[in-house]
Amino acid sequence: MAKVGIVMGSDSDMPVMAKAADILEQLGISYEMRIISAHREPDEFFEYAKTAEEKGYKVIIAGAGMAAHLPGMCAAIFPMPVIGIPMHTTSLGGRDSLYSIVQMPTGIPVATVAINGGANAGILAAKILATSDPDLLQKLKEYKDSLKDSVIAKDNKLQEVGYKSYQ
């Protein structure tokens, strides 16, 4: 199966990026996760982005906070889809990250999910891969059905016990 690269600039991003990895694992998609700083180790970053295609990556999920250059620079180098995850920041609540990732120049798009949207990044990567993988598409349909079943089960419990007893 196609690989997904997951890259973040700091281990403080791990709780969010792990949500992307969890979704990929649940769907049987192989991935490699790395911590590489575009600012603190530019040579390592450029090597990562330049060799991602030959490593078999079909999508890169890149998380970053504040100036958030990692997703955009991945998109500038890697010829296939890049999904950016803006990280919540203490200074501006992640809006700085969001704007840095979303506002890319023409020709260098980065698909962007919500602030701290790790799970949605994993799902979006799977949807991209599923365009050429019928088995993965079926797993995504089953995943979507499980979300629906979960909501129905919660509503059934609410109807059974009432809101004061619901837990």
Side-chain angles (χ1 to χ4, degrees):
M1 177 155 304
K3 283 182 146 181
V4 175
I6 300 177
V7 64
M8 66 201 94
S10 170
D11 64 347
S12 64
D13 301 335
M14 187 65 72
V16 172
M17 303 309 282
K19 291 177 183 177
D22 290 345
I23 291 289
L24 296 175
E25 285 180 16
Q26 185 178 343
L27 295 170
I29 299 169
S30 64
Y31 66 90
E32 178 184 63
M33 186 180 286
R34 302 284 309 272
I35 299 170
I36 303 172
S37 172
H39 296 114
R40 295 182 186 98
E41 37 180 18
D43 293 337
E44 290 81 357
F45 166 75
F46 282 109
E47 181 66 19
Y48 172 82
K50 284 181 181 180
T51 61
E53 182 182 9
E54 67 189 51
K55 289 179 186 173
Y57 295 177
K58 302 296 181 197
V59 179
I60 291 178
I61 299 172
M66 299 182 346
H69 289 105
L70 193 61
M73 287 303 298
C74 282
I77 298 168
F78 181 65
M80 288 183 267
V82 174
I83 301 167
I85 305 175
M87 295 294 158
H88 183 272
T89 58
T90 54
S91 58
L92 296 172
R95 289 182 306 279
D96 47 348
S97 313
L98 175 64
Y99 294 154
S100 293
I101 296 171
V102 144
Q103 294 290 21
M104 291 300 297
T106 299
I108 315 294
V110 175
T112 309
V113 296
I115 296 167
N116 284 356
N120 272 353
I123 294 165
L124 182 55
K127 286 184 171 196
I128 291 167
L129 296 172
T131 61
S132 61
D133 185 335
D135 293 334
L136 180 55
L137 179 59
Q138 183 59 39
K139 288 179 184 179
L140 279 166
K141 289 177 180 180
E142 291 166 6
Y143 175 80
K144 186 175 179 185
D145 288 343
S146 76
L147 296 176
K148 176 184 174 184
D149 293 344
S150 173
V151 173
I152 291 170
K154 290 174 186 177
D155 181 57
N156 288 339
K157 181 179 176 185
L158 174 63
Q159 300 310 310
E160 182 181 316
V161 301
Y163 80 91
K164 289 184 180 179
S165 300
Y166 186 85
Q167 299 208 29

